[in-house]
Amino acid sequence: MKSGVRLKSAVCDTEVMVTKAAADEIQLTCGGAEMLEMSGAKSGGTPDAAHAAGTLVGKRYVDEGDRYEFLCTKGGKGNLAINGVALQVKQAKALPSSD
């Protein structure tokens, strides 16, 4: 996986772009199913109920160690996870006060 790659969910409408990736081998899932290349065929299933928190367009999703970052380009019903661990929405950094 490398920066700039676009992926889509096999079970919902979610589409993401990789914006940051470490060299490790991972399994990126959405809705409990592995993400596909944009040219791949969807399975036509539905997201697993345990992985159906949803994704929001325009949000960046990161892992706990901030080694991977994905930009959601199309929202959907499934949530993103790496090796079974759910990704979190990246929070904006607080700016210093200008007193």
Side-chain angles (χ1 to χ4, degrees):
M1 186 172 300
K2 61 182 180 178
S3 295
V5 172
R6 293 188 61 211
L7 303 167
K8 67 180 179 181
S9 173
V11 294
C12 72
D13 294 332
T14 301
E15 293 181 7
V16 298
M17 180 186 303
V18 181
T19 55
K20 181 178 174 183
D24 302 339
E25 192 68 28
I26 61 164
Q27 181 183 29
L28 177 65
T29 59
C30 182
E34 191 165 1
M35 296 286 284
L36 306 169
E37 296 285 332
M38 292 304 283
S39 60
K42 289 189 173 195
S43 67
T46 58
D48 181 354
H51 302 279
T55 52
L56 301 171
V57 68
K59 297 292 183 181
R60 293 179 184 268
Y61 290 84
V62 295
D63 66 325
E64 202 170 276
D66 200 30
R67 299 178 62 202
Y68 296 92
E69 183 177 300
F70 305 92
L71 172 63
C72 182
T73 57
K74 186 175 181 183
K77 294 180 180 179
N79 66 295
L80 298 171
I82 291 179
N83 299 333
V85 179
L87 300 179
Q88 303 299 318
V89 174
K90 186 174 184 177
Q91 300 300 316
K93 293 180 182 177
L95 296 173
S97 62
S98 59
D99 291 335

